Each structure stands twice: as structure tokens, then as C-alpha cells.
Amino acid sequence: MEILADKIRPSVLDDVIGQEHLIGSGKILSNLIANKRLFSMIFYGKPGIGKTSIANAIVSSLDLKYKFMNATINNKADFDNAIVEAKMNGEMVLIIDEIHRMNKDKQDILLPFIENGLIILIGLTTSNPYHKINPAIRSRCQIFELHELSLEDIKKGLNKACTFLEDIEIDQETLEFIALSASGDMRSSLNLLEMAYYSTTDKKVTLDVVKSINSKPVFFHDKDGDGHYDVLSALQKSIRGSDPDAAIHYLARLLEAGDLDSIYRRLSVIAYEDIGLANPGIGPRLMAAIHAAELVGLPEARIPLANIVVEMALSPKSNSTYLAINEAINDIHKGTTGNVPNHIKTTSPDYLYPHNYPNDYVKQEYLPQNLKNRKYYQMKRNKIEVNLNRIYKEMKGE
């Protein structure tokens, strides 16, 4: 039996909800369709935000032969058969879900045919392709990130879905609750609506009916759909502001939403942006906490994460290296670079090897000539940086 999410899946790009940065007048994917051209590409982003819908809309709009495959489920023989089919048709689009899980054998089969254009690949993944997908595949594809859907996007999809449910009765308060419960996942919201509809005898989907199916508290998104980022921002600012109670509160909200990946990424940024050299051991300890959380999973993952969040909130803070790298990048963007000094180039005979000198230090210029005496790093007055600075001066004999 066809599920609701498949029933309303768009067959043309104009019916896709959200992703306005890629779809619409003058946008890249719409222009490709208008010009009847398609290239290998990878769509990545969170679950339920339209990756499969866009892929289906593209092949339907261009009336192309295509095959939908899964990098995990389909075996090597399935990929061999797809290539044979492509040779018979002269060209074929392969839509491959979970492409980040494609093993080397399958990649080796596909690569030459992607290269010669026999196979046009549309890869779908929830993982960042720059980290998870083999460079050989990645280099042959254009990569497009899909954005999280807003609350209004989800409500638009739910209202459309209601037209496929015969004689449904549902008010806007209940629709909004379903949309909020989905945390930006269209598929999840449609599945909840469909289950609520078929769990009634009179086709009246009320708030009580929905809550009897999904009792999870709704707090993750606000009415503008920005709550996800607001909670992450609040977590970072609470740790930066050395408030362990507020930090634990926002961690709890993120944990209840089950969004471990966002927690890991944000805490990793905080460790190096906001704590930095004031407590350089926090990075490895955070990685250990993340590893422990991954090993045990939810709900126990909350324990190592709570430990590290409190430690980070209580830790001394420094953004000295964050400011230093930003200044250096700004210089590069302004064209303020210059040549690497000759004496530190790869094969220079004039390089002075510091380990041959007392305290493993010898004075020589490392910056380009036009950046001589440029100071990017400015010490903050915390114990570790003060101590590092003292050792640095002793090494230089000052």
C-alpha cells in the first residue's frame, strides 16, 4: 500500500517545498531542467527535507531513464546490471541513496561510466560528502547542500497532504503541533498525520489523537522555524558565559530532540573557539565524551555529555586563537600575503635548524617580507597562556 509521503511526492520541481536557493526562477536546478541538461550531483542534508523528492522531480521532468538504488542494500551484481541497462539505453540516471556507504568495489564499477557520461549519478546522503564520500566519486559530482525546512514549509506540506486523505477533519492548531513535532522532517510529519488519520473511526484528527501517538514535548522549533539554531546558540552562549545550569538546560532540550550530531559539532566548535588555549586539554576530553556517548547511545549518552558540558562551562575561556586565525584569513582575502621567505623554502641551504641551537630556538624571519612584524596572536590573561608566554620568552632568552 502506497504511503502518504509517496502519494504527494512531487513530479516536477515547481511542486517541491522549500530549497528556494536551488529551485525557482533563475536558480541552478530549475535552469538545468529548462536547458534539458543534467550532470552528476550529490544532494546532502538532514532526513526528510526533500533529497529524494528533488531527484524524482528531476528525472520525471526530463523524462530520463533512471534506476533508484541504495549503496548499502544493492550488491555488486545489481550495479553491474545497472551498467548493462545503461548501455542498452545509451544513458541512465542512477539515484543512489546513502551514497556515503558505497564501498570501493561498487565505486570502481561506476567510476569509468560516470566519467564517460553513460551514468549520470544523483547521490543522496545525510552525511557531509566532504567528509564521508570517496574523493574519486566526489570530484565527478557537483555537490548541493539542502537546507532545513521551516515550520511554514512543513505546514504547507501537511495542508497538501490533507487533500489526499478523504473527509479528514483537522484544525490548524493540530497541524501546527504535528509540524512542530517533526523538527524539520517533512517525512516524519506526514507519517504522523497519516497514522493519526487511520487511528480514528470518524476521520477527526484532534490534538489529543496526535498526542496519544507522539507524546514528545514540542519545544525544539519556534514559530519561525529557527528554534533548532536558537537552542544551539543558547547552548554555546551559556558555556561561553560560564553558566553551567543554563548550559545543562539547553543540552537537555537538544537531547530530548535526539539531535546528537548537532550537539557534537557545536561542542567541538565551543572547545576551540571559546575555551581554546585557556584549557587546551578540553578538546581531547570532549572527543572522549563524544566517543563514550556514541558507544552507549541514548538515553545514557546524556551522562558523558552532561559531564563535559559542565566542565566546559566552568572552564576558563580564551578566544585568542580564534581571533588570530580570523585576522590571518582576512589578510589573505585582502591580498596581503607575499612570497614565502627564501630561507624557509623547501630546499633552501640557508635555513637555520632551531634544534641545533640553545633552547631549540634561533632568531630568523618566517613571515613574508610585507607582513614582517605582523602580530596575529594576542595573549589573553589566563594561567595557561601566561605560562606559555613565560616559557616562550625564556626560550628566546628574553
Side-chain angles (χ1 to χ4, degrees), residues 18-37:
Q19 313 311 329
E20 290 86 357
H21 63 300
L22 298 175
I23 299 166
S25 178
K27 299 302 172 63
I28 178 69
L29 295 184
S30 297
N31 288 348
L32 288 175
I33 298 301
N35 291 319
K36 300 187 184 304
R37 289 297 305 270

Side-chain angles (χ1 to χ4, degrees), residues 238-249:
S238 298
I239 292 174
R240 181 188 294 152
S242 302
D243 187 332
D245 298 303
I248 281 288
H249 170 76

Side-chain angles (χ1 to χ4, degrees), residues 114-132:
I114 296 172
E115 188 74 45
N116 66 23
L118 181 69
I119 297 290
I120 299 173
L121 172 67
I122 301 181
L124 313 176
T125 177
T126 56
S127 297
N128 188 327
Y130 296 102
H131 300 158
K132 299 289 187 178

Side-chain angles (χ1 to χ4, degrees), residues 313-366:
L314 297 176
S315 174
K317 310 294 190 299
S318 172
N319 67 342
S320 58
T321 53
Y322 168 77
L323 296 174
I325 191 62
N326 286 352
E327 282 296 305
I329 289 171
N330 284 339
D331 276 352
I332 292 167
H333 288 170
K334 290 185 293 187
T336 311
T337 52
N339 295 323
V340 173
N342 287 332
H343 62 278
I344 60 170
K345 288 182 177 178
T346 307
T347 57
S348 172
D350 300 320
Y351 171 60
L352 303 178
Y353 188 59
H355 298 301
N356 290 339
Y357 295 84
N359 299 325
D360 299 286
Y361 175 82
V362 60
K363 187 172 182 178
Q364 61 187 329
E365 187 60 54
Y366 294 97

Side-chain angles (χ1 to χ4, degrees), residues 140-171:
R140 290 163 173 80
C141 300
Q142 294 300 313
I143 296 173
F144 298 107
E145 179 180 8
L146 272 62
H147 295 167
E148 190 168 356
L149 298 178
S150 70
L151 178 63
E152 291 306 313
D153 289 332
I154 301 292
K155 287 164 67 176
K156 184 177 178 180
L158 288 170
N159 279 306
K160 179 180 179 181
C162 285
T163 65
F164 288 79
L165 298 172
E166 188 178 1
D167 297 327
I168 186 174
E169 291 185 35
I170 186 169
D171 59 32

Side-chain angles (χ1 to χ4, degrees), residues 47-92:
I49 60 173
K51 297 184 293 293
T52 303
S53 293
I54 292 175
N56 280 331
I58 288 172
V59 293
S60 296
S61 297
L62 293 175
D63 195 26
L64 296 170
K65 293 284 185 184
Y66 75 95
K67 199 175 192 67
F68 193 96
M69 305 183 77
N70 185 292
T72 303
I73 297 171
N74 292 107
N75 58 31
K76 184 173 177 288
D78 295 328
F79 282 85
D80 284 329
N81 291 336
I83 290 167
V84 171
E85 195 173 338
K87 289 178 178 177
M88 292 173 61
N89 290 309
E91 184 182 71
M92 176 176 281

